[in-house]
Amino acid sequence: MDNCWICSNIADSEEHKFKASDLKRFHGKKMNALYISKKIIELNSYKDKSLKFPKVICTNCNNNLTRPHDDAYDKFVIFCFENHEQILKTQVIDFEEIYGENWELEKVNLYRYYAKHAGCKIVTSNIKADLKNLSEFIKGNIQVTDFLVKFERKAGVQAIMHAFNLADKYNHLYNSETTYWNIHIAPKFGGWLSNNYMTTNWVFGTNINTNSKNIFKNKYETILLTDNHFFEIKEQEDDTEFSRIKFIDQYIIGFENSHNKTTELKVEYFENLILANNTAHNNS
Ligand SMILES: [Zn+2]
């Protein structure tokens, strides 16, 4: 068994790739859903193995240390779902509106939730990286230099949600593949998680974030708005029907990847997030 990447005890716990509360909230304990990975898997339970990371953290970190981070995440995604029209209009997330007077700690705890997710993605990608700064942040550091987060709304995902919700209740959860680059010098990693209308991008790399103090002091975060002008539907071949798998591939993954269809474009996008992050809130 490996060691927990957060505290280095024996890793005996399986963190969910998608939060169990997200799955239970929308799907109930008996679920009937499709998990789209390299292949499509039918799911009957939120405890399905394919929804979990291999054992890379320990029970104590997963159940005790990161519980407040999980709670901050739950409040965040519920707020973003219920207030998605307002967020689209203002293009701003107000953390005091979500968390009340405790927003400063809760905002950091939300970022710690994404730090845990990112760390698990990095460890399971099998590319060597030093996660010490990330684990110190999760264990209580109030700054983080190797990690950043940027929120985004994707018009294409919204279109899918509205279309699907006409027929049935649709819950959109997406966990991107991990992009990595620069791996022989100083490896960087990027990815994102979507929970319905809200996408959270994360980037990891040594000293990529010189600004976390300013960011954590600010109760507002602006969000990126991504249009769907890039989107083109491929020509239909005459002899094939438009299957569910093709639909998922072209629409859901297409809208999630948005403008960044190739690895090169994804790397460029994440590098731009690093640049923008280090100038954000400097005047506040
Ligand atoms: Zn641990």
Side-chain angles (χ1 to χ4, degrees), residues 18-56:
F18 298 96
K19 239 180 132 287
S21 58
D22 281 340
L23 299 168
K24 278 185 273 187
R25 188 178 310 126
F26 286 94
H27 296 286
K29 286 197 174 171
K30 272 193 182 164
M31 72 190 295
N32 170 19
L34 293 178
Y35 176 49
I36 302 142
S37 180
K38 280 176 187 126
K39 54 183 199 250
I40 293 184
I41 303 162
E42 288 222 36
L43 296 178
N44 301 309
S45 164
Y46 67 91
K47 290 181 178 163
D48 196 287
K49 278 259 175 221
S50 56
L51 293 172
K52 293 175 178 179
F53 288 110
K55 289 176 180 164
V56 291

Side-chain angles (χ1 to χ4, degrees), residues 171-281:
N171 178 33
H172 183 83
L173 298 176
Y174 190 86
N175 171 358
S176 80
E177 63 187 310
T178 307
T179 301
Y180 45 86
W181 65 104
N182 218 20
I183 56 170
H184 298 298
I185 315 150
K188 295 182 190 175
F189 300 81
W192 69 91
L193 276 173
S194 293
N195 182 303
N196 292 298
Y197 300 95
M198 186 58 72
T199 292
T200 307
N201 297 286
W202 59 266
V203 189
F204 173 89
T206 306
N207 291 324
I208 59 166
N209 188 350
T210 57
N211 200 21
S212 70
K213 244 186 175 172
N214 281 323
I215 289 168
F216 292 150
K217 267 191 302 195
N218 201 305
K219 77 169 88 147
Y220 304 107
E221 280 301 317
T222 55
I223 59 166
L224 297 171
L225 290 186
T226 299
D227 60 48
N228 56 2
H229 297 163
F230 57 89
F231 196 69
E232 36 188 274
I233 295 166
K234 289 179 205 143
E235 285 287 318
Q236 287 300 293
E237 292 152 31
D238 294 338
D239 57 344
T240 55
E241 61 173 316
F242 198 70
S243 70
R244 186 155 67 158
I245 292 165
K246 269 195 174 172
F247 178 83
I248 288 163
D249 186 48
Q250 290 202 20
Y251 282 84
I252 299 186
I253 298 176
F255 280 137
E256 278 286 355
N257 282 331
S258 63
H259 296 270
N260 308 318
K261 291 190 179 72
T262 63
T263 303
E264 289 71 29
L265 288 168
K266 286 187 177 80
V267 169
E268 201 183 308
Y269 186 72
F270 291 129
E271 285 287 348
N272 282 331
L273 293 183
I274 295 173
L275 284 177
N277 179 79
N278 288 331
T279 54
H281 306 313

Side-chain angles (χ1 to χ4, degrees), residues 3-12 56-62 65:
N3 290 344
C4 170
W5 68 265
I6 299 173
C7 75
S8 69
N9 286 335
I10 298 290
D12 57 357
V56 291
I57 58 176
C58 73
T59 308
N60 186 48
C61 283
N62 205 11
L65 175 71

